[in-house]
Amino acid sequence: MPTWFCSRMWFDKVGQFDEGGKGVPEDLLFFYHCLRQGLGVRRVDQCLLVYRYHEKLQPTLDTIWKLRVDFLQERVLSQWEGFTIWNAGKQGRKLYRSLCPANQKKVKAFCDVDENKIKKGFYTYEESKERPKPKIPVLHYKDATAPFIICVKLDMTGGVFEENLTSLQLQEGKDYYHFN
């Protein structure tokens, strides 16, 4: 696979790619298996590969989303007693709705910079079967507390988001994880 640079011994330890057929994101599953086995994966902050979209072969966005949420819950959220979702917009709310009920209860707040969302004061999970419906506070990011799951795309705000994040002096992998 052009997306992986690893020794044969490493590959054999992780196991074969999931050849489950059309729509199986075998490279994402392989990556998660690597992490579960504690293999030394390193992040490179530059583009090494550009994927081509093959409509007939691609896994659905829903499949990838579910795998990513499940892995986040397994590896990160299971270790935390509570957390804040950074983004009270579409992606943050989608993440919240995708979490299992136990992890939904761990969400202390959403945070954002959008004054309209902050003025409203809370997000109501209308689709919930709970009564009363869960209402999660929406705070300004400066008033929120770590740890954070960040659902904001990088390089989309002219550096404003990145400056806001840097101003909090948080440590990635401890105080926050990107989920975007």
Side-chain angles (χ1 to χ4, degrees), residues 6-174:
C6 62
S7 70
R8 182 65 180 185
M9 184 179 73
W10 195 61
F11 179 82
D12 289 341
K13 181 176 180 177
V14 174
Q16 301 298 311
F17 283 98
D18 184 333
E19 299 292 340
K22 177 183 170 188
V24 174
E26 67 275 354
D27 54 346
L28 180 62
L29 293 172
F30 184 80
F31 176 66
Y32 288 162
H33 291 314
C34 291
L35 294 176
R36 285 184 181 108
Q37 293 187 30
L39 295 173
V41 177
R42 300 245 194 299
R43 180 170 122 182
V44 177
D45 289 326
Q46 66 186 62
C47 182
L48 298 177
L49 176 73
V50 176
Y51 278 97
R52 290 187 188 158
Y53 179 75
H54 298 284
E55 188 172 326
K56 293 180 182 178
L57 301 175
Q58 284 297 104
T60 66
L61 293 176
D62 289 340
T63 297
I64 292 173
W65 178 265
K66 182 179 178 347
L67 288 169
R68 291 177 61 228
V69 170
D70 289 350
F71 194 78
L72 176 72
Q73 292 186 107
E74 172 193 329
R75 301 296 288 204
V76 178
L77 302 184
S78 65
Q79 308 300 309
W80 289 352
E81 292 182 21
F83 63 97
T84 301
I85 296 175
W86 191 320
N87 184 348
K90 185 177 177 181
Q91 284 299 104
R93 293 189 316 263
K94 180 180 179 182
L95 173 61
Y96 175 82
R97 291 189 306 268
S98 300
L99 298 173
C100 70
N103 283 327
Q104 286 178 348
K105 291 185 184 319
K106 292 180 181 183
V107 177
K108 300 180 288 189
F110 287 93
C111 71
D112 212 295
V113 295
D114 184 328
E115 288 299 324
N116 291 328
K117 292 177 185 132
I118 296 166
K119 281 181 190 173
K120 183 175 179 186
F122 57 89
Y123 162 70
T124 304
Y125 181 29
E126 295 293 345
E127 295 87 28
S128 175
K129 294 177 183 172
E130 285 185 49
R131 297 292 182 261
K133 305 246 185 223
K135 289 188 175 192
I136 298 88
V138 177
L139 310 171
H140 189 275
Y141 79 93
K142 288 182 180 177
D143 298 324
T145 57
F148 295 96
I149 297 297
I150 298 175
C151 296
V152 178
K153 291 182 181 178
L154 299 175
D155 301 322
M156 298 294 286
T157 61
V160 174
F161 165 72
E162 291 81 357
E163 289 174 15
N164 292 343
L165 181 58
T166 299
S167 75
L168 297 178
Q169 300 178 347
L170 302 172
Q171 181 182 348
E172 185 175 7
K174 178 180 171 246

